[in-house]
Amino acid sequence: MPGKMSLDEIHAFLDSRPGWIALSTISRSGHPHTVPIGYFRLGEKIYMGCRKGTQKTKNIERNPNVSVMLESGSTMQDIKGVCIQGTGRVITDPAEVLPLRREAMRRRGVPEDQLPTEAGPETAYIEVTPVKYISWDYSKA
């Protein structure tokens, strides 16, 4: 059995793996809808930028139960990951979108003087508030 990560280890793992995370939402038919999406963490919450009106945003507006999953490793000894079950919220208000967009770009290395000054007309963010953490770390087995 793999070991579990502490909350601090989970946060460090999320922060060390910039790029893509798997987001699962629930479709109208009740089936999981899973997509890869860019993310970053602020405090306990996970944020993902996307376009307004996508299937994932429609699913969250209908049913806010979501999960995100991130895993790394290629051998049994170094596989680790986390699944976060939580509540999703679609953010479209420009006053909330702009600071998130600026933070996402800052984390990708965009210089301060080149950060956007507007939210963007089609930009939305998905905010995931964790309810439960499930983690695995085979190096702790």
Side-chain angles (χ1 to χ4, degrees), residues 11-123:
H11 287 166
F13 177 67
L14 289 166
D15 294 345
S16 73
R17 308 279 309 161
W20 304 97
I21 199 164
L23 167 68
S24 295
T25 61
I26 307 298
S27 71
R28 183 182 302 275
S29 67
H31 292 90
H33 174 78
T34 303
V35 296
I37 188 168
Y39 77 97
F40 62 95
R41 181 182 69 84
L42 283 176
E44 293 292 316
K45 297 181 179 182
I46 306 292
Y47 292 91
M48 297 153 281
C50 63
R51 291 172 49 119
K52 292 179 183 178
T54 60
Q55 189 62 57
K56 58 190 157 285
T57 62
K58 290 175 186 176
N59 290 347
I60 291 168
E61 288 167 344
R62 192 172 39 255
N63 180 344
N65 295 319
V66 301
S67 67
V68 292
M69 192 278 296
L70 182 66
E71 185 176 66
S72 71
S74 58
T75 67
M76 196 59 131
Q77 292 74 32
D78 67 356
I79 291 175
K80 66 168 61 175
V82 63
C83 177
I84 301 170
Q85 297 173 342
T87 304
R89 178 173 77 102
V90 178
I91 300 169
T92 58
D93 178 353
E96 286 187 86
V97 168
L98 180 58
L100 292 171
R101 186 173 179 214
R102 290 174 60 89
E103 182 61 25
M105 295 180 86
R106 187 178 291 114
R107 288 174 183 233
R108 288 195 307 263
V110 175
E112 285 292 319
D113 64 344
Q114 294 177 24
L115 293 176
T117 57
E118 295 181 1
E122 296 301 314
T123 305

